[in-house]
Amino acid sequence: AVDESELLTVPDGWKEPAFTREDNPKGLLEESSFATLFPKYREAYLKECWPLVQKALGEHYVNAVLDLIEGSMTVTTTKKTFDPYAIIRARDLIKLLARSVPFEQAVRILQDDVACDIIKIGSLVRKRETFIKRRARLLGPKGSTLKALELLTNCYIMVQGNTVSALGPFSGLKEVRKVVLDTMKNIHPIYNIKTLMIKRELAKDPELRTQSWERFLPKFKRKNLKKRKEPKKKNTKKEYTPFPPPQPESQIDKELASGEYFLKERQKKRKQMEEIKAKQADAIRRRQEERNKAFIPPKEKPIVKTKKASTEKKIDIEAIKEKVKNAKKKKLGALPEEEVKLKMAADEKKKKKK
């Protein structure tokens, strides 16, 4: 009888056997090829390391061509190629080289237990300034956040432009993608890093392998969420009425109601001038009041006279004399008179008994 949990887990140190020519002796039926473009600034580096790329792909019988005029890299299978997945790995290799991953790291994709993931982050945030801030948050101060993520996931991560290139085991790539997408959604990567650290410690305990880890993992809540501000002026909907609103009065109607319509032009002008002069006089008066405020002295607080404490107090001389007499009779540490009498009586009884 074998425990089911042991059947579901991969034993430590187990590796899938390598794909050899004996597994596919007749080779591939048709030629396959992939091509990718690269930016201008990568041209000098690719030209320098291209012999190493050809050598690495030559071991898997895959041809590689660098076209500097068109700015592209092409990989094709040959008649000697026996591994059908080799062309997919070669395609990933040239993609990583185009995304500024150094050759020393990119060549690891040709190994069986290494995969890659190119995460596009350019379209996840609308504003360019916000995108740059969140991408810098993923890197951290002096690249510390990215380095911590690399150590926890065993992956090589390269942040370049609008993409994040990751290279490593499948389980690590899954975590890297989650952290990158959460960072672009305004969730700080430190929360995911804490969770990964706890998971790493829990994985060491064989008893917790079959148990749920939810109780150990931290649950982070957003504390800085601000409530939506309500507008000062709330637009309230009026009740629906089928009748249209009344037509506003025209200027002629207003003049007819006030009787101004029947005045002559000279009288109208005189009235306008009087209104203007009245407004000017009112404005001058208000301005003068504002200026005079500076010359008005402030109200002084009334001086409150403090009442002198009455020194004349009745002194009880007889009570003081009694206190002095009692003090003279009592010595410091001495017993009261009644206790002394009782003690003396007890001593006399003892002497009589003897």
mmCIF file of all heavy atoms in Angstrom, residues 324-353:
data_model
loop_
_atom_site.group_PDB
_atom_site.id
_atom_site.type_symbol
_atom_site.label_atom_id
_atom_site.label_comp_id
_atom_site.label_asym_id
_atom_site.label_seq_id
_atom_site.Cartn_x
_atom_site.Cartn_y
_atom_site.Cartn_z
ATOM 1 N N VAL A 324 -0.768 74.131 74.190
ATOM 2 C CA VAL A 324 0.615 74.234 74.697
ATOM 3 C C VAL A 324 0.778 73.410 75.966
ATOM 4 O O VAL A 324 1.780 72.712 76.155
ATOM 5 C CB VAL A 324 0.984 75.716 74.946
ATOM 6 C CG1 VAL A 324 2.318 75.809 75.657
ATOM 7 C CG2 VAL A 324 1.023 76.475 73.632
ATOM 8 N N LYS A 325 -0.228 73.469 76.887
ATOM 9 C CA LYS A 325 -0.169 72.689 78.123
ATOM 10 C C LYS A 325 -0.110 71.185 77.838
ATOM 11 O O LYS A 325 0.676 70.443 78.425
ATOM 12 C CB LYS A 325 -1.389 72.996 78.990
ATOM 13 C CG LYS A 325 -1.294 74.325 79.722
ATOM 14 C CD LYS A 325 -2.553 74.550 80.543
ATOM 15 C CE LYS A 325 -2.524 75.927 81.241
ATOM 16 N NZ LYS A 325 -3.764 76.153 82.015
ATOM 17 N N ASN A 326 -0.973 70.741 76.950
ATOM 18 C CA ASN A 326 -0.984 69.311 76.580
ATOM 19 C C ASN A 326 0.330 68.881 75.967
ATOM 20 O O ASN A 326 0.807 67.763 76.201
ATOM 21 C CB ASN A 326 -2.127 69.025 75.608
ATOM 22 C CG ASN A 326 -3.482 69.193 76.262
ATOM 23 O OD1 ASN A 326 -3.602 68.989 77.482
ATOM 24 N ND2 ASN A 326 -4.492 69.542 75.483
ATOM 25 N N ALA A 327 0.924 69.744 75.164
ATOM 26 C CA ALA A 327 2.202 69.420 74.529
ATOM 27 C C ALA A 327 3.311 69.299 75.550
ATOM 28 O O ALA A 327 4.212 68.468 75.408
ATOM 29 C CB ALA A 327 2.549 70.493 73.496
ATOM 30 N N LYS A 328 3.283 70.170 76.581
ATOM 31 C CA LYS A 328 4.318 70.099 77.634
ATOM 32 C C LYS A 328 4.194 68.819 78.424
ATOM 33 O O LYS A 328 5.190 68.210 78.830
ATOM 34 C CB LYS A 328 4.184 71.296 78.565
ATOM 35 C CG LYS A 328 4.731 72.580 77.980
ATOM 36 C CD LYS A 328 4.571 73.729 78.960
ATOM 37 C CE LYS A 328 5.137 75.028 78.382
ATOM 38 N NZ LYS A 328 4.964 76.158 79.303
ATOM 39 N N LYS A 329 2.933 68.395 78.723
ATOM 40 C CA LYS A 329 2.731 67.175 79.498
ATOM 41 C C LYS A 329 3.232 65.958 78.724
ATOM 42 O O LYS A 329 3.830 65.050 79.291
ATOM 43 C CB LYS A 329 1.247 67.002 79.821
ATOM 44 C CG LYS A 329 0.747 67.983 80.878
ATOM 45 C CD LYS A 329 -0.740 67.799 81.105
ATOM 46 C CE LYS A 329 -1.279 68.817 82.109
ATOM 47 N NZ LYS A 329 -2.747 68.673 82.286
ATOM 48 N N LYS A 330 2.966 65.916 77.422
ATOM 49 C CA LYS A 330 3.376 64.768 76.607
ATOM 50 C C LYS A 330 4.827 64.910 76.174
ATOM 51 O O LYS A 330 5.244 65.951 75.719
ATOM 52 C CB LYS A 330 2.503 64.668 75.349
ATOM 53 C CG LYS A 330 1.107 64.175 75.649
ATOM 54 C CD LYS A 330 0.343 64.043 74.351
ATOM 55 C CE LYS A 330 -1.057 63.564 74.596
ATOM 56 N NZ LYS A 330 -1.809 63.412 73.340
ATOM 57 N N LYS A 331 5.575 63.817 76.416
ATOM 58 C CA LYS A 331 6.947 63.774 75.909
ATOM 59 C C LYS A 331 6.940 62.972 74.613
ATOM 60 O O LYS A 331 6.071 62.126 74.385
ATOM 61 C CB LYS A 331 7.853 63.134 76.933
ATOM 62 C CG LYS A 331 8.014 63.969 78.194
ATOM 63 C CD LYS A 331 8.941 63.277 79.134
ATOM 64 C CE LYS A 331 9.119 64.094 80.434
ATOM 65 N NZ LYS A 331 9.980 63.404 81.395
ATOM 66 N N LEU A 332 7.945 63.191 73.803
ATOM 67 C CA LEU A 332 8.038 62.480 72.524
ATOM 68 C C LEU A 332 8.195 60.991 72.789
ATOM 69 O O LEU A 332 9.098 60.568 73.523
ATOM 70 C CB LEU A 332 9.206 63.008 71.682
ATOM 71 C CG LEU A 332 9.018 64.422 71.119
ATOM 72 C CD1 LEU A 332 10.326 64.904 70.522
ATOM 73 C CD2 LEU A 332 7.916 64.440 70.100
ATOM 74 N N GLY A 333 7.404 60.174 72.231
ATOM 75 C CA GLY A 333 7.499 58.718 72.394
ATOM 76 C C GLY A 333 6.917 58.241 73.700
ATOM 77 O O GLY A 333 6.964 57.037 73.999
ATOM 78 N N ALA A 334 6.366 59.092 74.594
ATOM 79 C CA ALA A 334 5.834 58.688 75.906
ATOM 80 C C ALA A 334 4.411 58.192 75.757
ATOM 81 O O ALA A 334 3.688 58.605 74.855
ATOM 82 C CB ALA A 334 5.877 59.870 76.862
ATOM 83 N N LEU A 335 4.022 57.286 76.702
ATOM 84 C CA LEU A 335 2.672 56.732 76.685
ATOM 85 C C LEU A 335 1.704 57.715 77.337
ATOM 86 O O LEU A 335 2.097 58.508 78.189
ATOM 87 C CB LEU A 335 2.640 55.407 77.453
ATOM 88 C CG LEU A 335 3.470 54.278 76.825
ATOM 89 C CD1 LEU A 335 3.576 53.124 77.823
ATOM 90 C CD2 LEU A 335 2.852 53.794 75.529
ATOM 91 N N PRO A 336 0.413 57.618 77.035
ATOM 92 C CA PRO A 336 -0.559 58.477 77.711
ATOM 93 C C PRO A 336 -0.698 58.116 79.200
ATOM 94 O O PRO A 336 -0.276 57.042 79.639
ATOM 95 C CB PRO A 336 -1.861 58.208 76.960
ATOM 96 C CG PRO A 336 -1.530 57.361 75.795
ATOM 97 C CD PRO A 336 -0.165 56.874 75.926
ATOM 98 N N GLU A 337 -1.302 59.039 79.964
ATOM 99 C CA GLU A 337 -1.380 58.882 81.431
ATOM 100 C C GLU A 337 -2.165 57.640 81.819
ATOM 101 O O GLU A 337 -1.783 56.897 82.740
ATOM 102 C CB GLU A 337 -2.047 60.122 82.057
ATOM 103 C CG GLU A 337 -1.160 61.359 82.001
ATOM 104 C CD GLU A 337 -1.850 62.564 82.609
ATOM 105 O OE1 GLU A 337 -2.998 62.409 83.073
ATOM 106 O OE2 GLU A 337 -1.245 63.647 82.602
ATOM 107 N N GLU A 338 -3.279 57.335 81.178
ATOM 108 C CA GLU A 338 -4.102 56.180 81.530
ATOM 109 C C GLU A 338 -3.341 54.878 81.348
ATOM 110 O O GLU A 338 -3.377 53.976 82.199
ATOM 111 C CB GLU A 338 -5.363 56.172 80.662
ATOM 112 C CG GLU A 338 -6.308 57.333 80.974
ATOM 113 C CD GLU A 338 -7.498 57.326 80.042
ATOM 114 O OE1 GLU A 338 -7.556 56.421 79.164
ATOM 115 O OE2 GLU A 338 -8.362 58.202 80.189
ATOM 116 N N GLU A 339 -2.577 54.773 80.227
ATOM 117 C CA GLU A 339 -1.803 53.557 79.969
ATOM 118 C C GLU A 339 -0.688 53.399 81.008
ATOM 119 O O GLU A 339 -0.373 52.278 81.452
ATOM 120 C CB GLU A 339 -1.204 53.607 78.561
ATOM 121 C CG GLU A 339 -2.247 53.431 77.476
ATOM 122 C CD GLU A 339 -1.626 53.382 76.095
ATOM 123 O OE1 GLU A 339 -0.384 53.282 76.002
ATOM 124 O OE2 GLU A 339 -2.380 53.429 75.103
ATOM 125 N N VAL A 340 -0.107 54.521 81.416
ATOM 126 C CA VAL A 340 0.973 54.458 82.434
ATOM 127 C C VAL A 340 0.414 53.932 83.761
ATOM 128 O O VAL A 340 1.021 53.096 84.436
ATOM 129 C CB VAL A 340 1.606 55.853 82.617
ATOM 130 C CG1 VAL A 340 2.550 55.851 83.804
ATOM 131 C CG2 VAL A 340 2.342 56.258 81.331
ATOM 132 N N LYS A 341 -0.787 54.416 84.166
ATOM 133 C CA LYS A 341 -1.418 53.974 85.416
ATOM 134 C C LYS A 341 -1.738 52.485 85.380
ATOM 135 O O LYS A 341 -1.489 51.748 86.339
ATOM 136 C CB LYS A 341 -2.694 54.771 85.668
ATOM 137 C CG LYS A 341 -2.443 56.215 86.112
ATOM 138 C CD LYS A 341 -3.752 56.966 86.262
ATOM 139 C CE LYS A 341 -3.505 58.424 86.659
ATOM 140 N NZ LYS A 341 -4.778 59.185 86.775
ATOM 141 N N LEU A 342 -2.263 52.020 84.229
ATOM 142 C CA LEU A 342 -2.578 50.584 84.088
ATOM 143 C C LEU A 342 -1.335 49.721 84.174
ATOM 144 O O LEU A 342 -1.328 48.648 84.790
ATOM 145 C CB LEU A 342 -3.300 50.334 82.751
ATOM 146 C CG LEU A 342 -4.720 50.885 82.620
ATOM 147 C CD1 LEU A 342 -5.177 50.816 81.170
ATOM 148 C CD2 LEU A 342 -5.671 50.097 83.518
ATOM 149 N N LYS A 343 -0.259 50.194 83.592
ATOM 150 C CA LYS A 343 1.005 49.441 83.621
ATOM 151 C C LYS A 343 1.548 49.349 85.060
ATOM 152 O O LYS A 343 2.043 48.292 85.493
ATOM 153 C CB LYS A 343 2.022 50.141 82.705
ATOM 154 C CG LYS A 343 3.162 49.233 82.319
ATOM 155 C CD LYS A 343 4.031 49.910 81.270
ATOM 156 C CE LYS A 343 5.126 48.978 80.849
ATOM 157 N NZ LYS A 343 6.013 49.590 79.869
ATOM 158 N N MET A 344 1.482 50.456 85.751
ATOM 159 C CA MET A 344 1.981 50.466 87.150
ATOM 160 C C MET A 344 1.159 49.525 88.038
ATOM 161 O O MET A 344 1.705 48.799 88.874
ATOM 162 C CB MET A 344 1.908 51.886 87.709
ATOM 163 C CG MET A 344 2.982 52.811 87.143
ATOM 164 S SD MET A 344 2.754 54.528 87.627
ATOM 165 C CE MET A 344 3.213 54.415 89.358
ATOM 166 N N ALA A 345 -0.160 49.466 87.822
ATOM 167 C CA ALA A 345 -1.030 48.568 88.604
ATOM 168 C C ALA A 345 -0.693 47.116 88.319
ATOM 169 O O ALA A 345 -0.638 46.270 89.223
ATOM 170 C CB ALA A 345 -2.483 48.853 88.275
ATOM 171 N N ALA A 346 -0.408 46.809 87.062
ATOM 172 C CA ALA A 346 -0.044 45.429 86.695
ATOM 173 C C ALA A 346 1.271 45.024 87.337
ATOM 174 O O ALA A 346 1.437 43.890 87.804
ATOM 175 C CB ALA A 346 0.038 45.334 85.175
ATOM 176 N N ASP A 347 2.245 45.944 87.394
ATOM 177 C CA ASP A 347 3.553 45.634 88.016
ATOM 178 C C ASP A 347 3.396 45.371 89.524
ATOM 179 O O ASP A 347 4.063 44.462 90.063
ATOM 180 C CB ASP A 347 4.516 46.808 87.775
ATOM 181 C CG ASP A 347 4.909 46.934 86.331
ATOM 182 O OD1 ASP A 347 4.750 45.936 85.582
ATOM 183 O OD2 ASP A 347 5.340 48.043 85.902
ATOM 184 N N GLU A 348 2.570 46.107 90.175
ATOM 185 C CA GLU A 348 2.370 45.920 91.635
ATOM 186 C C GLU A 348 1.731 44.547 91.942
ATOM 187 O O GLU A 348 2.105 43.856 92.882
ATOM 188 C CB GLU A 348 1.447 47.020 92.172
ATOM 189 C CG GLU A 348 2.161 48.366 92.340
ATOM 190 C CD GLU A 348 1.220 49.465 92.791
ATOM 191 O OE1 GLU A 348 0.029 49.159 93.012
ATOM 192 O OE2 GLU A 348 1.669 50.635 92.887
ATOM 193 N N LYS A 349 0.774 44.110 91.084
ATOM 194 C CA LYS A 349 0.138 42.789 91.257
ATOM 195 C C LYS A 349 1.167 41.667 91.137
ATOM 196 O O LYS A 349 1.173 40.702 91.876
ATOM 197 C CB LYS A 349 -0.970 42.588 90.231
ATOM 198 C CG LYS A 349 -2.235 43.363 90.579
ATOM 199 C CD LYS A 349 -3.295 43.121 89.513
ATOM 200 C CE LYS A 349 -4.545 43.922 89.823
ATOM 201 N NZ LYS A 349 -5.584 43.700 88.787
ATOM 202 N N LYS A 350 2.074 41.826 90.147
ATOM 203 C CA LYS A 350 3.113 40.794 89.953
ATOM 204 C C LYS A 350 4.008 40.702 91.190
ATOM 205 O O LYS A 350 4.415 39.605 91.615
ATOM 206 C CB LYS A 350 3.966 41.140 88.709
ATOM 207 C CG LYS A 350 3.255 40.821 87.410
ATOM 208 C CD LYS A 350 4.139 41.204 86.234
ATOM 209 C CE LYS A 350 3.419 40.957 84.926
ATOM 210 N NZ LYS A 350 4.252 41.331 83.784
ATOM 211 N N LYS A 351 4.371 41.869 91.785
ATOM 212 C CA LYS A 351 5.248 41.881 92.954
ATOM 213 C C LYS A 351 4.552 41.185 94.141
ATOM 214 O O LYS A 351 5.165 40.447 94.897
ATOM 215 C CB LYS A 351 5.603 43.312 93.338
ATOM 216 C CG LYS A 351 6.613 43.949 92.388
ATOM 217 C CD LYS A 351 6.897 45.381 92.781
ATOM 218 C CE LYS A 351 7.861 46.033 91.833
ATOM 219 N NZ LYS A 351 8.127 47.450 92.197
ATOM 220 N N LYS A 352 3.232 41.417 94.340
ATOM 221 C CA LYS A 352 2.482 40.798 95.425
ATOM 222 C C LYS A 352 2.432 39.287 95.257
ATOM 223 O O LYS A 352 2.559 38.530 96.252
ATOM 224 C CB LYS A 352 1.072 41.360 95.498
ATOM 225 C CG LYS A 352 1.003 42.777 96.066
ATOM 226 C CD LYS A 352 -0.431 43.287 96.038
ATOM 227 C CE LYS A 352 -0.496 44.733 96.578
ATOM 228 N NZ LYS A 352 -1.863 45.280 96.534
ATOM 229 N N LYS A 353 2.272 38.811 94.062
ATOM 230 C CA LYS A 353 2.214 37.356 93.835
ATOM 231 C C LYS A 353 3.529 36.703 94.205
ATOM 232 O O LYS A 353 3.584 35.581 94.732
ATOM 233 C CB LYS A 353 1.882 37.055 92.367
ATOM 234 C CG LYS A 353 0.417 37.262 92.055
ATOM 235 C CD LYS A 353 0.180 37.000 90.591
ATOM 236 C CE LYS A 353 -1.280 37.245 90.242
ATOM 237 N NZ LYS A 353 -1.567 36.988 88.808
#
